[in-house]
Structure formats: C-alpha cells, structure tokens
C-alpha cells in the first residue's frame, strides 16, 4: 500500500471527522466515554481545525486512511506547546488501515514540517495512557516522555490524564 500524506481539502473534512470521532469513541478515549461527550463534536469539526492549523491526511489511492492536526505556531488549537515548539493533535487512523504505517507516516510528516521551518526547537503532543501503539510510534521516532508537562484537561474528570511526549529538533 502506497501512503501519500497531503494537506486536507474541504472534501476530506467530513470523512476525516468521522474517522477521528469513531477512533476516539471506539477506543474508549473520551473523558466521558460515550456519544454525549462534548469532545466528540470537536473531533468531527475538521473545518474548524483547518481554519487555525494544518490538517494533514493520509490517503492510498482514493481511500482516506487517517489524519492529524499539525499546529506549527501556537494559536487556539495549541494545548501544551511552548514558544518555538510545534504541536501534534488529534491523530487518528481508520480501523481498517491500522498497523500499516499510516500513523507513523503522519507523525513523521509533522516532524519534517517542524524541522523544515528552521525556527522550531521541538515537537510536542499529548496522548492517553491506553494508547500504547501510539506510544511505540512516538518513541520509535525519537519522542521522550515529559511527565512534568502531563495535564488533566477536564476538571469534571480529574482521573482523565494526558501524557506528554516531546521531541527536540
């Protein structure tokens, strides 16, 4: 399978939103764990993300395999990036395309974009403790845990913790 990473276009927004929402819902990654979780609508709203960051998609032929939001310069979608850091958000791969290198290709493209910018000192991202496959991808690409930057973004669910990984460029 040949994987091509490219910027999302408006025709990708709805299917990528569905892939992202399904991935988070089916993998039990929502703080409140069901279809009423407010974050589900955020995951579906790719157009909103694309207005404030770069949304990249992975495709093979005409098949949309997954996507990621790359936040190069802070702004409303930045959760943890410090000045000079790019941030990776909302990485999702369709269930059918998992285990084929799609997630790694998307993360590598974000790293490449940050490196090419020349003024980036690193790349950061948050992940959940149960996302072990994703952790292996990040570690394989050189990310290390930064536990001092972990966060608990949902006051109503204090047990919901996001682990921080960082890569120094």
């Amino acid at each position: 399978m040949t994987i091509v990473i490219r910027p999302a276009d408006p025709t990708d927004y709805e299917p990528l939103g569905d892939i992202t929402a399904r991935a988070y819902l089916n993998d039990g990654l929502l703080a409140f764990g069901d279809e009423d979780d407010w974050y589900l609508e955020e995951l579906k709203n790719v157009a909103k993300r694309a207005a404030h960051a770069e949304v990249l998609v992975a495709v093979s032929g005409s098949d949309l395999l997954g996507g990621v939001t790359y936040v190069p310069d802070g702004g409303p979608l930045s959760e943890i990036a410090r000045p000079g850091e790019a941030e990776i958000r909302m990485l999702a791969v369709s269930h059918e395309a998992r285990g084929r290198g799609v997630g790694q290709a998307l993360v590598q493209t974000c790293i490449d974009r940050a490196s090419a910018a020349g003024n980036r000192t690193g790349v950061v991202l948050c992940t959940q403790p149960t996302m072990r496959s994703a952790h292996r991808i990040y570690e394989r690409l050189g990310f290390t845990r930064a536990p001092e930057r972990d966060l608990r973004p949902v006051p109503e669910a204090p047990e919901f913790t996001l682990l921080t990984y960082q890569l120094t460029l």
Side-chain angles (χ1 to χ4, degrees):
M1 171 173 68
T2 302
I3 300 168
V4 175
I5 308 297
R6 62 167 173 76
D9 64 51
T11 63
D12 298 317
Y13 294 173
E14 185 175 341
L16 179 58
D18 289 341
I19 287 170
T20 308
R22 268 189 315 231
Y24 277 67
L25 186 60
N26 293 343
D27 292 348
L29 302 175
L30 299 170
F32 298 106
D34 61 26
E35 294 191 28
D36 294 329
D37 192 302
W38 67 270
Y39 196 57
L40 205 53
E41 288 307 312
E42 288 295 310
L43 295 170
K44 290 179 181 178
N45 196 344
V46 177
K48 179 180 175 183
R49 294 199 300 274
H52 298 288
E54 297 176 34
V55 177
L56 305 171
V57 293
V59 297
S60 180
S62 62
D63 295 329
L64 182 63
L65 308 174
V68 67
T69 301
Y70 172 70
V71 185
D73 297 311
L77 288 179
S78 180
E79 277 190 318
I80 59 166
R82 295 175 178 159
E85 292 178 328
E87 188 167 343
I88 296 173
R89 304 266 331 264
M90 301 176 194
L91 173 67
V93 175
S94 71
H95 182 73
E96 302 78 22
R98 291 184 180 182
R100 298 181 183 175
V102 175
Q104 183 164 326
L106 286 162
V107 174
Q108 184 63 59
T109 299
C110 292
I111 294 168
D112 294 346
R113 285 177 177 268
S115 294
N119 61 344
R120 298 280 152 252
T121 59
V123 181
V124 295
L125 59 89
C126 286
T127 184
Q128 293 185 33
T130 58
M131 300 173 84
R132 290 178 189 88
S133 295
H135 302 171
R136 286 191 293 276
I137 291 170
Y138 306 142
E139 290 165 3
R140 209 171 23 249
L141 293 173
F143 284 83
T144 57
R145 280 277 293 119
E148 71 280 4
R149 295 177 73 177
D150 290 353
L151 40 126
R152 290 183 173 83
V154 184
E156 302 83 15
E159 72 285 353
F160 185 77
T161 301
L162 296 176
L163 309 179
T164 300
Y165 277 78
Q166 63 187 16
L167 173 70
T168 301
L169 297 176

